[in-house]
Amino acid sequence: MTLSAQLLTKRYGSTSGYEAVRGASLELQAGEFISIVGRTGSGKSTLLAVLGALTKPTAGKLLLDGADVWALSEEKRSIFRSRHVGFIFQFPSLLSNLTAVDNVAVPALLGCTMAVEAAYARASDLLARVGLGNRADAYPGSMSGGEQRRVVIARALINSPPLLLADEPTGDLDEDTEADIIDLLEQLHGSETFSFVLVSHNLDLAKHAQRIYEMRQGVLASIDLLPAVVDVEPRVRHFGPATVNVRPDLTVTAREPVRLGANLWGSVRPFLLGGAAVFASILVVDFGVAKYQEMQVRDRGARLAQLADMALSRLQADIQSVSDLGDGRYELAVYLWNVGSDTPIYVMSPEMHAYVQVGKFWQEVPLEPADSTSSGVLKIDGKLTYRYVFDARVKDFTQLLPNYMHVRFSDTMLVSPSSMPKGDVFERKDNFYVYLKPFDVADEVVLKRMKFSGKPPVWIPMPPH
Ligand SMILES: Nc1ncnc2c1ncn2[C@@H]1O[C@H](COP(=O)(O)OP(=O)(O)OP(=O)(O)O)[C@@H](O)[C@H]1O
Ligand SMILES: [Mg+2]
């Protein structure tokens, strides 16, 4: 895949907010391997999030295979990201209640990019190629940091993405293991032929790339270095070479198809199993974005960690209610709750969108604030509710629960400890999911297929996913 980044800027906060990436331009040819180095806080993770279309740039253009990804609809962009971009996050982020092979297979199962047997066969093959052929049934908790990294690499490659973005894939590993992982990525890069962007704080590792860039306070510049210094003595590898070709383990492919842990999807699981195709790439992407945000938080310095803690932990947000106003119109009430309410938290320009799932896609529906509570700067020193009215007259909606619509509310807001923030602002994104009873389906019709103690509820909250 080719990538063309043209004067990308990412600013957190208002027009006077902090520019984490400033006018970055970059051309990546199909199959090329480049690396980006830079000090902590220089904007590497932010740039990678922009290059992978996880975060929208404030200015500039991103062309992936010539397509302007931010000109695509949200649905198309989601599918594009999940099928074409593999992400290796700074921290392993494996699902602890799934085995290694399940973890690797998840993006293929949820994205429906291949049949279940093929997904497990490829997952087993990839695990063998990263030297973990005999650990397919191990749970992440029983694996070393280096092993978990290798599972993450296998997972990022399951859908054969033409572009792989790796954010400090060796972050907290010892030097030898770090070098092993980079060797492995290089070998996979040779055999799987993806375009590859590696972010690393370690210049020696970055030197393995064909070209090296440096981030300095948000500015990206290419640096000229001699090619990688080759070790005089070949190092002993700790795991099998990437070229080992292992036949897929048929006992693995014969397992129960989708063993997504109960803890993870909770009540969603039965519907996932029933119609996995429905969620498709949507889940993978949302999960990826949420994890990415979490990783960024864990990854930044103390100042940002404090800011992030305030924005993500001290400030809770959720749906309070959804009421049926008739004729397909509903009122959505969302609360923001400052749980450690001794110091106020300021929230700016919350922007809410509502989507109804139709097939594999999310169809946006009209939504507007019910009053002026949600505009301007909101001071939160307790619990604040803000309301919207949306119109959910959608035909042919997907039914994960019989007769109910699957609705997503996406909210972006800027959070700060001060009412006139400068650099101290955090961009927070939330996705809330509910089942919604369509206005034109009679209660008796719903009750024929589902049991409720009284009338069918207008909305049923879903666990985050
Ligand atoms: N969601 C956010 N909201 C507000 N500011 C942010 C957010 N994410 C990052 N920043 C700011 O942008 C700057 C760049 O952060 P980024 O995480 O991209 O740096 P980095 O180069 O990846 O650092 P590290 O090497 O520590 O991972 C930081 O100073 C941080 O304060
Ligand atoms: Mg980073």
Side-chain angles (χ1 to χ4, degrees):
M1 171 182 282
T2 61
L3 180 156
S4 172
Q6 300 167 5
L7 294 171
L8 291 176
T9 291
K10 175 65 191 179
R11 188 188 307 115
Y12 292 109
S14 60
T15 39
S16 57
Y18 183 71
E19 276 189 359
V21 174
R22 295 190 269 160
S25 295
L26 177 73
E27 299 290 327
L28 181 69
Q29 298 309 315
E32 227 186 335
F33 171 16
I34 64 160
S35 59
I36 301 172
V37 292
R39 301 176 67 150
T40 180
S42 58
K44 304 181 297 300
S45 293
T46 304
L47 176 63
L48 215 59
V50 175
L51 294 181
L54 285 179
T55 295
K56 189 172 184 184
T58 319
K61 234 182 200 176
L62 173 71
L63 305 180
L64 294 176
D65 271 347
D68 180 347
V69 280
W70 289 101
L72 298 175
S73 66
E74 159 134 3
E75 295 74 24
K76 288 199 172 129
R77 192 164 43 250
S78 290
I79 290 177
F80 188 89
R81 268 184 311 217
S82 67
R83 305 239 163 126
H84 295 85
V85 187
F87 251 99
I88 297 176
F89 298 108
Q90 206 154 353
F91 290 84
S93 68
L94 292 171
L95 303 171
S96 57
N97 50 347
L98 300 186
T99 63
V101 72
D102 287 330
N103 263 289
V104 176
V106 157
L109 297 174
L110 294 183
C112 291
T113 48
M114 59 192 93
V116 174
E117 291 74 19
Y120 275 101
R122 177 151 168 85
S124 306
D125 182 36
L126 282 167
L127 280 177
R129 292 168 66 182
V130 300
L132 293 175
N134 56 355
R135 303 282 280 143
D137 287 326
Y139 285 88
S142 68
M143 303 179 105
S144 70
E147 287 173 336
Q148 291 188 33
R149 296 281 170 172
R150 289 186 261 148
V151 177
V152 169
I153 292 170
R155 185 183 62 186
L157 295 178
I158 185 83
N159 286 332
S160 309
L163 173 65
L164 181 70
L165 303 174
D167 193 356
E168 307 263 12
T170 61
D172 48 5
L173 301 175
D174 64 75
E175 260 180 45
D176 268 1
T177 318
E178 208 174 14
D180 282 337
I181 297 281
I182 297 298
D183 278 358
L184 170 66
L185 281 167
E186 261 191 298
Q187 291 194 29
L188 290 168
H189 173 244
S191 58
E192 296 263 326
T193 61
F194 44 81
S195 311
F196 183 22
V197 182
L198 168 73
V199 162
S200 175
H201 61 278
N202 184 332
L203 189 57
D204 283 335
L205 297 179
K207 281 178 186 165
H208 290 247
Q210 289 155 289
R211 283 185 287 134
I212 310 179
Y213 288 82
E214 186 182 9
M215 275 302 264
R216 274 194 194 196
Q217 298 182 332
V219 177
L220 183 74
S222 73
I223 51 178
D224 259 344
L225 281 176
L226 292 172
V229 182
V230 180
D231 284 348
V232 183
E233 290 290 323
R235 279 179 319 98
V236 179
R237 292 179 58 82
H238 299 301
F239 46 85
T243 45
V244 174
N245 223 342
V246 177
R247 267 196 307 131
D249 177 353
L250 293 178
T251 57
V252 172
T253 63
R255 75 176 56 231
E256 202 195 327
V258 189
R259 287 191 347 201
L260 298 178
N263 302 352
L264 178 65
W265 309 118
S267 60
V268 180
R269 186 173 61 156
F271 308 111
L272 247 186
L273 289 171
V278 176
F279 270 104
S281 52
I282 300 157
L283 266 179
V284 182
V285 169
D286 284 341
F287 175 67
V289 173
K291 273 288 160 201
Y292 191 78
Q293 196 168 50
E294 190 188 316
M295 294 313 130
Q296 282 196 315
V297 171
R298 285 162 63 185
D299 178 37
R300 253 174 265 121
R303 190 187 59 79
L304 190 69
Q306 239 179 0
L307 186 59
D309 179 61
M310 175 203 70
L312 296 177
S313 311
R314 268 181 50 208
L315 184 66
Q316 292 185 3
D318 212 341
I319 293 184
Q320 185 167 303
S321 63
V322 183
S323 357
D324 189 349
L325 303 177
D327 296 337
R329 292 167 74 250
Y330 296 81
E331 186 188 76
L332 164 72
V334 177
Y335 70 77
L336 286 176
W337 185 16
N338 180 351
V339 285
S341 57
D342 39 343
T343 39
I345 297 177
Y346 294 87
V347 169
M348 278 137 278
S349 41
E351 201 182 301
M352 181 71 84
H353 293 272
Y355 303 86
V356 173
Q357 192 183 344
V358 179
K360 280 187 179 183
F361 298 101
W362 289 106
Q363 181 178 320
E364 181 159 12
V365 296
L367 173 145
E368 50 187 45
D371 48 40
S372 57
T373 339
S374 59
S375 56
V377 179
L378 310 179
K379 179 181 178 186
I380 321 274
D381 45 14
K383 201 166 183 177
L384 181 100
T385 304
Y386 56 110
R387 295 169 199 282
Y388 297 92
V389 173
F390 66 96
D391 186 331
R393 276 172 295 176
V394 172
K395 283 200 178 11
D396 303 324
F397 53 85
T398 298
Q399 299 183 26
L400 302 180
L401 268 190
N403 295 308
Y404 275 75
M405 299 187 208
H406 180 209
V407 180
R408 181 180 113 220
F409 301 103
S410 296
D411 195 6
T412 307
M413 59 185 136
L414 301 170
V415 185
S416 176
S418 58
S419 59
M420 291 176 50
K422 294 196 175 63
D424 50 351
V425 66
F426 191 91
E427 189 179 66
R428 169 173 165 157
K429 294 179 196 300
D430 288 288
N431 278 313
F432 308 110
Y433 297 85
V434 300
Y435 299 111
L436 186 70
K437 188 164 91 62
F439 79 107
D440 53 357
V441 175
D443 289 357
E444 305 75 62
V445 175
V446 176
L447 290 170
K448 268 189 204 147
R449 296 187 56 199
M450 290 204 299
K451 286 204 175 6
F452 292 102
S453 47
K455 273 165 72 77
V458 172
W459 68 293
I460 304 171
M462 291 176 82
H465 54 265

